[in-house]
Amino acid sequence: MDLAFTKENEEFRQEIRDFLDENWPEEKRTGEVTEFGRDEYIAWHKKLAAKGWVAPSWPKEYGGPGWTPTQKYIFAEEMAKAETFNVLPFNIGMVGPVIYTFANEEQKKRFLPATLNCDIWWCQGYSEPGSGSDLASLRTKAVRDGDHYVVNGSKTWTTLAQHADWIFCLVKTDSEAKAQESISFLLIDMKTPGITVRPIITMGGDHEVNEVFLEDVRVPVENLIGEENKGWTYAKFLLMHERSGIAGTHVCKKALSRLREVASDKSLYGDAPILMDDAEFRRKVSEIEMDLMALEYTELRALAGEEAGKGPGAESSILKIRGTELQQRISHLAVEVAGYYAMPFQRGLTGNETPSGPEHTVDAAAGYFNKRKTSIYGGSNEIQRNIIAKAILGL
């Protein structure tokens, strides 16, 4: 990949900036954590879909823009700089690739356009109580009854299930076979009778995740993806796509840049020295910058491999580990910059309440707590190290 961007690439970058200037308001580029509703999120998704930019990595025949890896890189960088909402990962980075790779033609026609346009909001039914890192031990069962499966069980840590129209679910369809040979991949309408969603409030005070209970939920057999009991193959394929997107390199670069700005702002420190003058603090920032650059080049190599026709492989585990570690280190540094103003819990302030301390401190602690999850979800970092040991190092 040529990182000395060509004239054509710079023109492409300007096209993205012009689109963002027209469609993404300046007041949203604040760097602060912004609460948003389902409708607002879907509206932004649809704008990108209408432009043909919502799924940069999808094949062109299914709605991807046909960009080169360099164009994908530039697009992600400009989106991060503008601090836009992330595109719904469950649609674009997870179930979409599974559907266009493994589903039958009727399922592709039924689900891909709606997934691309966010007419369906998907959530992920993978983790269960007792089945997280050891996902193959899941116990949610689907028993065939004529033209339907009858599903019973529960899922947990189901992100944004309170907004979802459909859930893609791993279920056990053979109680006698080995764990990895007994799982199927089902698409389930969340309006089906027997589904209950209960919120889980995180340490940061957010309602991001949920428990989902399934009691005698009848799912048409036509909603089975691929072959019965072959779901483990599709699940692993999805996880590799998910992990590739978790690194968040451009978002980390933007967060670190803003953190530098705040730590260099003399107006925040009065007569005291600014934080960026502290040698120990500068060392921490420099170490993160170097690690972030190394991660970025690894991501670029993965993109180049993708351009050559390779799907995401074991390098997605490297991206997942290093990306999530960097996100946690940056959130830790943000607490250090906030100082004692990070102590009060200030989420959910109303318009009549004045935050204690500068604006950048309001979400520092909540952001720190929220980022603790990143090294666990998408397959814990310990599991990723095992994958690297086997698939890359041959141990």
Side-chain angles (χ1 to χ4, degrees):
M1 175 179 291
D2 183 5
L3 290 181
F5 296 117
T6 63
K7 178 173 178 270
E8 289 74 19
N9 284 328
E10 291 300 344
E11 288 173 352
F12 174 74
R13 184 190 297 279
Q14 189 57 51
E15 183 185 357
I16 294 169
R17 287 177 177 172
D18 291 344
F19 172 81
L20 290 171
D21 287 344
E22 186 176 341
N23 293 281
W24 186 251
E26 185 66 32
E27 59 268 23
K28 290 184 181 294
R29 310 179 192 197
T30 63
E32 307 300 330
V33 175
T34 306
E35 299 291 344
F36 58 90
R38 185 180 190 273
D39 292 345
E40 191 177 9
Y41 192 99
I42 291 175
W44 174 239
H45 189 115
K46 285 182 178 297
K47 279 187 178 180
L48 289 174
K51 186 72 176 173
W53 289 357
V54 79
S57 294
W58 282 29
K60 200 168 183 178
E61 64 184 297
Y62 297 122
W67 288 339
T68 65
T70 304
Q71 288 175 314
K72 293 177 190 174
Y73 173 87
I74 291 172
F75 178 73
E77 187 173 50
E78 292 303 318
M79 294 283 280
K81 284 180 181 174
E83 302 179 77
T84 64
F85 297 155
N86 292 324
V87 169
L88 196 63
F90 317 104
N91 284 38
I92 302 303
M94 298 185 194
V95 75
V98 169
I99 292 173
Y100 66 63
T101 304
F102 298 107
N104 59 42
E105 290 304 313
E106 187 175 333
Q107 290 170 328
K108 290 177 185 178
K109 289 177 184 174
R110 179 183 178 190
F111 290 111
L112 283 180
T115 299
L116 195 70
N117 198 42
C118 210
D119 294 328
I120 295 176
W121 181 306
W122 291 94
C123 65
Q124 182 184 37
Y126 270 32
S127 295
E128 297 184 6
S131 295
S133 295
D134 182 20
L135 190 57
S137 67
L138 63 88
R139 291 180 293 178
T140 295
K141 289 184 179 178
V143 178
R144 184 76 179 259
D145 180 22
D147 294 334
H148 287 75
Y149 290 102
V150 179
V151 182
N152 281 281
S154 66
K155 300 291 177 179
T156 193
W157 310 122
T158 313
T159 305
L160 301 181
Q162 73 270 32
H163 298 317
D165 303 300
W166 283 70
I167 183 170
F168 50 92
C169 231
L170 295 182
V171 294
K172 192 169 281 287
T173 40
D174 188 337
S175 57
E176 304 297 326
K178 293 180 181 177
Q180 286 84 353
E181 297 171 1
S182 63
I183 292 170
S184 297
F185 195 105
L186 276 186
L187 309 180
I188 304 176
D189 188 334
M190 292 290 280
K191 294 189 294 296
T192 311
I195 297 179
T196 304
V197 178
R198 294 179 186 165
I200 300 173
I201 305 302
T202 65
M203 287 192 298
D206 299 302
H207 177 195
E208 282 186 3
V209 290
N210 303 271
E211 296 176 286
V212 177
F213 298 91
L214 304 107
E215 184 176 358
D216 293 331
V217 177
R218 295 185 67 83
V219 181
V221 172
E222 65 192 31
N223 290 4
L224 172 74
I225 294 292
E227 297 180 47
E228 189 176 273
N229 297 326
K230 299 293 185 184
W232 187 247
T233 299
Y234 319 141
K236 288 192 297 181
F237 173 86
L238 181 148
L239 284 170
M240 285 192 291
H241 277 268
E242 179 184 3
R243 288 164 190 154
S244 299
I246 288 175
T249 310
H250 295 295
V251 176
C252 284
K253 286 172 69 177
K254 181 66 182 180
L256 194 59
S257 170
R258 186 173 293 280
L259 197 144
R260 262 184 170 277
E261 286 176 20
V262 172
S264 303
D265 187 348
K266 293 183 182 298
S267 67
L268 295 174
Y269 294 92
D271 295 331
I274 60 172
L275 198 51
M276 280 306 294
D277 282 343
D278 181 83
E280 177 61 15
F281 183 81
R282 284 204 310 275
R283 181 189 64 76
K284 293 175 187 174
V285 172
S286 297
E287 284 182 354
I288 291 176
E289 285 176 335
M290 287 187 289
D291 289 344
L292 195 49
M293 184 182 296
L295 179 67
E296 189 175 20
Y297 276 84
T298 303
E299 189 171 24
L300 289 169
R301 283 198 301 273
L303 277 174
E306 188 182 309
E307 178 71 4
K310 298 178 183 175
E315 69 272 15
S316 63
S317 295
I318 299 174
L319 294 173
K320 199 273 177 177
I321 292 172
R322 296 301 286 164
T324 55
E325 288 177 345
L326 282 166
Q327 290 169 40
Q328 292 181 342
R329 286 164 62 188
I330 292 171
S331 70
H332 194 170
L333 217 52
V335 171
E336 190 171 331
V337 172
Y340 52 77
Y341 287 121
M343 294 294 288
F345 188 82
Q346 301 187 78
R347 296 301 303 276
L349 294 176
T350 67
N352 295 326
E353 294 175 295
T354 303
S356 174
E359 281 191 14
H360 73 270
T361 67
V362 172
D363 292 308
Y368 169 82
F369 286 124
N370 189 281
K371 292 298 182 187
R372 299 310 96 190
K373 70 187 180 188
T374 61
S375 52
I376 300 172
Y377 68 32
S380 72
N381 285 5
E382 289 77 8
I383 295 293
Q384 302 317 306
R385 291 187 175 91
N386 285 340
I387 292 173
I388 292 168
K390 291 179 181 175
I392 298 180
L393 303 177
L395 300 176

PDB file of all heavy atoms in Angstrom, residues 313-318 321 380-395:
ATOM      1  N   GLY A 313      -7.926 -12.988   8.803  1.00  0.00           N
ATOM      2  CA  GLY A 313      -7.390 -14.209   9.392  1.00  0.00           C
ATOM      3  C   GLY A 313      -6.998 -13.988  10.829  1.00  0.00           C
ATOM      4  O   GLY A 313      -7.592 -13.169  11.540  1.00  0.00           O
ATOM      5  N   ALA A 314      -5.949 -14.728  11.261  1.00  0.00           N
ATOM      6  CA  ALA A 314      -5.540 -14.655  12.663  1.00  0.00           C
ATOM      7  C   ALA A 314      -5.013 -13.274  13.041  1.00  0.00           C
ATOM      8  O   ALA A 314      -4.974 -12.933  14.229  1.00  0.00           O
ATOM      9  CB  ALA A 314      -4.470 -15.716  12.928  1.00  0.00           C
ATOM     10  N   GLU A 315      -4.620 -12.456  12.035  1.00  0.00           N
ATOM     11  CA  GLU A 315      -4.149 -11.113  12.382  1.00  0.00           C
ATOM     12  C   GLU A 315      -5.259 -10.276  13.016  1.00  0.00           C
ATOM     13  O   GLU A 315      -4.983  -9.296  13.705  1.00  0.00           O
ATOM     14  CB  GLU A 315      -3.578 -10.387  11.153  1.00  0.00           C
ATOM     15  CG  GLU A 315      -4.576  -9.997  10.102  1.00  0.00           C
ATOM     16  CD  GLU A 315      -4.795 -11.101   9.082  1.00  0.00           C
ATOM     17  OE1 GLU A 315      -4.398 -12.258   9.357  1.00  0.00           O
ATOM     18  OE2 GLU A 315      -5.353 -10.819   8.029  1.00  0.00           O
ATOM     19  N   SER A 316      -6.520 -10.682  12.802  1.00  0.00           N
ATOM     20  CA  SER A 316      -7.612  -9.952  13.457  1.00  0.00           C
ATOM     21  C   SER A 316      -7.507 -10.089  14.972  1.00  0.00           C
ATOM     22  O   SER A 316      -7.948  -9.203  15.714  1.00  0.00           O
ATOM     23  CB  SER A 316      -8.970 -10.462  12.965  1.00  0.00           C
ATOM     24  OG  SER A 316      -9.160 -11.814  13.311  1.00  0.00           O
ATOM     25  N   SER A 317      -6.913 -11.193  15.454  1.00  0.00           N
ATOM     26  CA  SER A 317      -6.712 -11.353  16.905  1.00  0.00           C
ATOM     27  C   SER A 317      -5.671 -10.353  17.414  1.00  0.00           C
ATOM     28  O   SER A 317      -5.794  -9.819  18.515  1.00  0.00           O
ATOM     29  CB  SER A 317      -6.267 -12.782  17.226  1.00  0.00           C
ATOM     30  OG  SER A 317      -7.296 -13.699  16.917  1.00  0.00           O
ATOM     31  N   ILE A 318      -4.616 -10.109  16.609  1.00  0.00           N
ATOM     32  CA  ILE A 318      -3.611  -9.115  16.996  1.00  0.00           C
ATOM     33  C   ILE A 318      -4.250  -7.733  17.071  1.00  0.00           C
ATOM     34  O   ILE A 318      -4.034  -6.977  18.035  1.00  0.00           O
ATOM     35  CB  ILE A 318      -2.452  -9.109  15.973  1.00  0.00           C
ATOM     36  CG1 ILE A 318      -1.768 -10.476  15.936  1.00  0.00           C
ATOM     37  CG2 ILE A 318      -1.450  -8.007  16.299  1.00  0.00           C
ATOM     38  CD1 ILE A 318      -0.716 -10.600  14.844  1.00  0.00           C
ATOM     39  N   ILE A 321      -6.437  -7.475  20.261  1.00  0.00           N
ATOM     40  CA  ILE A 321      -5.695  -7.343  21.518  1.00  0.00           C
ATOM     41  C   ILE A 321      -5.080  -5.953  21.653  1.00  0.00           C
ATOM     42  O   ILE A 321      -5.314  -5.240  22.633  1.00  0.00           O
ATOM     43  CB  ILE A 321      -4.576  -8.407  21.605  1.00  0.00           C
ATOM     44  CG1 ILE A 321      -5.176  -9.803  21.745  1.00  0.00           C
ATOM     45  CG2 ILE A 321      -3.659  -8.120  22.808  1.00  0.00           C
ATOM     46  CD1 ILE A 321      -4.136 -10.909  21.635  1.00  0.00           C
ATOM     47  N   SER A 380     -12.365 -12.913  24.550  1.00  0.00           N
ATOM     48  CA  SER A 380     -11.430 -12.252  25.470  1.00  0.00           C
ATOM     49  C   SER A 380     -10.006 -12.250  24.908  1.00  0.00           C
ATOM     50  O   SER A 380      -9.653 -13.079  24.059  1.00  0.00           O
ATOM     51  CB  SER A 380     -11.450 -12.954  26.835  1.00  0.00           C
ATOM     52  OG  SER A 380     -10.802 -14.203  26.731  1.00  0.00           O
ATOM     53  N   ASN A 381      -9.204 -11.314  25.389  1.00  0.00           N
ATOM     54  CA  ASN A 381      -7.830 -11.213  24.877  1.00  0.00           C
ATOM     55  C   ASN A 381      -7.008 -12.457  25.196  1.00  0.00           C
ATOM     56  O   ASN A 381      -6.076 -12.796  24.459  1.00  0.00           O
ATOM     57  CB  ASN A 381      -7.158  -9.955  25.436  1.00  0.00           C
ATOM     58  CG  ASN A 381      -7.678  -8.695  24.754  1.00  0.00           C
ATOM     59  OD1 ASN A 381      -8.599  -8.767  23.940  1.00  0.00           O
ATOM     60  ND2 ASN A 381      -7.100  -7.560  25.073  1.00  0.00           N
ATOM     61  N   GLU A 382      -7.352 -13.162  26.268  1.00  0.00           N
ATOM     62  CA  GLU A 382      -6.668 -14.425  26.570  1.00  0.00           C
ATOM     63  C   GLU A 382      -6.950 -15.453  25.475  1.00  0.00           C
ATOM     64  O   GLU A 382      -6.044 -16.180  25.022  1.00  0.00           O
ATOM     65  CB  GLU A 382      -7.118 -14.970  27.935  1.00  0.00           C
ATOM     66  CG  GLU A 382      -6.598 -14.177  29.128  1.00  0.00           C
ATOM     67  CD  GLU A 382      -7.354 -12.884  29.362  1.00  0.00           C
ATOM     68  OE1 GLU A 382      -8.388 -12.674  28.698  1.00  0.00           O
ATOM     69  OE2 GLU A 382      -6.900 -12.078  30.192  1.00  0.00           O
ATOM     70  N   ILE A 383      -8.206 -15.506  25.036  1.00  0.00           N
ATOM     71  CA  ILE A 383      -8.566 -16.420  23.947  1.00  0.00           C
ATOM     72  C   ILE A 383      -7.830 -16.030  22.666  1.00  0.00           C
ATOM     73  O   ILE A 383      -7.345 -16.897  21.912  1.00  0.00           O
ATOM     74  CB  ILE A 383     -10.095 -16.388  23.706  1.00  0.00           C
ATOM     75  CG1 ILE A 383     -10.839 -16.943  24.929  1.00  0.00           C
ATOM     76  CG2 ILE A 383     -10.458 -17.169  22.448  1.00  0.00           C
ATOM     77  CD1 ILE A 383     -10.618 -18.407  25.186  1.00  0.00           C
ATOM     78  N   GLN A 384      -7.715 -14.729  22.412  1.00  0.00           N
ATOM     79  CA  GLN A 384      -7.022 -14.279  21.189  1.00  0.00           C
ATOM     80  C   GLN A 384      -5.552 -14.686  21.204  1.00  0.00           C
ATOM     81  O   GLN A 384      -4.964 -15.004  20.172  1.00  0.00           O
ATOM     82  CB  GLN A 384      -7.144 -12.756  21.039  1.00  0.00           C
ATOM     83  CG  GLN A 384      -8.561 -12.222  20.993  1.00  0.00           C
ATOM     84  CD  GLN A 384      -9.477 -13.055  20.138  1.00  0.00           C
ATOM     85  OE1 GLN A 384      -9.183 -13.312  18.966  1.00  0.00           O
ATOM     86  NE2 GLN A 384     -10.583 -13.519  20.709  1.00  0.00           N
ATOM     87  N   ARG A 385      -4.937 -14.663  22.382  1.00  0.00           N
ATOM     88  CA  ARG A 385      -3.528 -15.089  22.486  1.00  0.00           C
ATOM     89  C   ARG A 385      -3.398 -16.583  22.163  1.00  0.00           C
ATOM     90  O   ARG A 385      -2.410 -17.007  21.543  1.00  0.00           O
ATOM     91  CB  ARG A 385      -2.980 -14.757  23.870  1.00  0.00           C
ATOM     92  CG  ARG A 385      -2.820 -13.257  24.105  1.00  0.00           C
ATOM     93  CD  ARG A 385      -2.104 -12.938  25.423  1.00  0.00           C
ATOM     94  NE  ARG A 385      -1.886 -11.511  25.535  1.00  0.00           N
ATOM     95  CZ  ARG A 385      -2.722 -10.642  26.102  1.00  0.00           C
ATOM     96  NH1 ARG A 385      -3.842 -11.092  26.638  1.00  0.00           N
ATOM     97  NH2 ARG A 385      -2.445  -9.358  26.145  1.00  0.00           N
ATOM     98  N   ASN A 386      -4.386 -17.370  22.552  1.00  0.00           N
ATOM     99  CA  ASN A 386      -4.369 -18.792  22.205  1.00  0.00           C
ATOM    100  C   ASN A 386      -4.480 -18.986  20.689  1.00  0.00           C
ATOM    101  O   ASN A 386      -3.803 -19.843  20.105  1.00  0.00           O
ATOM    102  CB  ASN A 386      -5.533 -19.522  22.900  1.00  0.00           C
ATOM    103  CG  ASN A 386      -5.272 -19.742  24.375  1.00  0.00           C
ATOM    104  OD1 ASN A 386      -4.139 -19.710  24.825  1.00  0.00           O
ATOM    105  ND2 ASN A 386      -6.337 -19.942  25.140  1.00  0.00           N
ATOM    106  N   ILE A 387      -5.334 -18.157  20.053  1.00  0.00           N
ATOM    107  CA  ILE A 387      -5.491 -18.249  18.596  1.00  0.00           C
ATOM    108  C   ILE A 387      -4.174 -17.899  17.905  1.00  0.00           C
ATOM    109  O   ILE A 387      -3.736 -18.573  16.960  1.00  0.00           O
ATOM    110  CB  ILE A 387      -6.622 -17.301  18.129  1.00  0.00           C
ATOM    111  CG1 ILE A 387      -7.978 -17.813  18.639  1.00  0.00           C
ATOM    112  CG2 ILE A 387      -6.635 -17.185  16.598  1.00  0.00           C
ATOM    113  CD1 ILE A 387      -9.130 -16.874  18.392  1.00  0.00           C
ATOM    114  N   ILE A 388      -3.526 -16.831  18.374  1.00  0.00           N
ATOM    115  CA  ILE A 388      -2.248 -16.416  17.786  1.00  0.00           C
ATOM    116  C   ILE A 388      -1.204 -17.528  17.970  1.00  0.00           C
ATOM    117  O   ILE A 388      -0.442 -17.848  17.048  1.00  0.00           O
ATOM    118  CB  ILE A 388      -1.766 -15.101  18.438  1.00  0.00           C
ATOM    119  CG1 ILE A 388      -2.693 -13.952  18.034  1.00  0.00           C
ATOM    120  CG2 ILE A 388      -0.328 -14.779  18.035  1.00  0.00           C
ATOM    121  CD1 ILE A 388      -2.478 -12.686  18.836  1.00  0.00           C
ATOM    122  N   ALA A 389      -1.194 -18.134  19.166  1.00  0.00           N
ATOM    123  CA  ALA A 389      -0.212 -19.194  19.440  1.00  0.00           C
ATOM    124  C   ALA A 389      -0.382 -20.361  18.474  1.00  0.00           C
ATOM    125  O   ALA A 389       0.604 -20.911  17.963  1.00  0.00           O
ATOM    126  CB  ALA A 389      -0.362 -19.668  20.891  1.00  0.00           C
ATOM    127  N   LYS A 390      -1.635 -20.712  18.194  1.00  0.00           N
ATOM    128  CA  LYS A 390      -1.887 -21.867  17.318  1.00  0.00           C
ATOM    129  C   LYS A 390      -1.769 -21.501  15.841  1.00  0.00           C
ATOM    130  O   LYS A 390      -1.093 -22.189  15.068  1.00  0.00           O
ATOM    131  CB  LYS A 390      -3.291 -22.417  17.598  1.00  0.00           C
ATOM    132  CG  LYS A 390      -3.437 -23.070  18.960  1.00  0.00           C
ATOM    133  CD  LYS A 390      -4.864 -23.568  19.164  1.00  0.00           C
ATOM    134  CE  LYS A 390      -5.033 -24.195  20.545  1.00  0.00           C
ATOM    135  NZ  LYS A 390      -6.441 -24.588  20.803  1.00  0.00           N
ATOM    136  N   ALA A 391      -2.438 -20.412  15.437  1.00  0.00           N
ATOM    137  CA  ALA A 391      -2.563 -20.116  14.008  1.00  0.00           C
ATOM    138  C   ALA A 391      -1.357 -19.396  13.421  1.00  0.00           C
ATOM    139  O   ALA A 391      -1.074 -19.527  12.234  1.00  0.00           O
ATOM    140  CB  ALA A 391      -3.831 -19.283  13.764  1.00  0.00           C
ATOM    141  N   ILE A 392      -0.659 -18.607  14.228  1.00  0.00           N
ATOM    142  CA  ILE A 392       0.468 -17.829  13.698  1.00  0.00           C
ATOM    143  C   ILE A 392       1.806 -18.440  14.120  1.00  0.00           C
ATOM    144  O   ILE A 392       2.709 -18.626  13.304  1.00  0.00           O
ATOM    145  CB  ILE A 392       0.379 -16.360  14.165  1.00  0.00           C
ATOM    146  CG1 ILE A 392      -0.902 -15.708  13.617  1.00  0.00           C
ATOM    147  CG2 ILE A 392       1.616 -15.576  13.702  1.00  0.00           C
ATOM    148  CD1 ILE A 392      -1.098 -14.267  14.022  1.00  0.00           C
ATOM    149  N   LEU A 393       1.924 -18.791  15.408  1.00  0.00           N
ATOM    150  CA  LEU A 393       3.202 -19.297  15.912  1.00  0.00           C
ATOM    151  C   LEU A 393       3.318 -20.818  15.791  1.00  0.00           C
ATOM    152  O   LEU A 393       4.400 -21.381  15.965  1.00  0.00           O
ATOM    153  CB  LEU A 393       3.395 -18.869  17.373  1.00  0.00           C
ATOM    154  CG  LEU A 393       3.346 -17.346  17.614  1.00  0.00           C
ATOM    155  CD1 LEU A 393       3.474 -17.039  19.097  1.00  0.00           C
ATOM    156  CD2 LEU A 393       4.445 -16.639  16.827  1.00  0.00           C
ATOM    157  N   GLY A 394       2.192 -21.492  15.519  1.00  0.00           N
ATOM    158  CA  GLY A 394       2.216 -22.945  15.351  1.00  0.00           C
ATOM    159  C   GLY A 394       2.558 -23.706  16.621  1.00  0.00           C
ATOM    160  O   GLY A 394       3.128 -24.802  16.561  1.00  0.00           O
ATOM    161  N   LEU A 395       2.202 -23.144  17.767  1.00  0.00           N
ATOM    162  CA  LEU A 395       2.529 -23.794  19.045  1.00  0.00           C
ATOM    163  C   LEU A 395       1.470 -24.822  19.441  1.00  0.00           C
ATOM    164  O   LEU A 395       0.345 -24.738  19.021  1.00  0.00           O
ATOM    165  CB  LEU A 395       2.646 -22.729  20.147  1.00  0.00           C
ATOM    166  CG  LEU A 395       3.728 -21.683  19.906  1.00  0.00           C
ATOM    167  CD1 LEU A 395       3.692 -20.620  21.007  1.00  0.00           C
ATOM    168  CD2 LEU A 395       5.105 -22.341  19.894  1.00  0.00           C
TER     169      LEU A 395
END
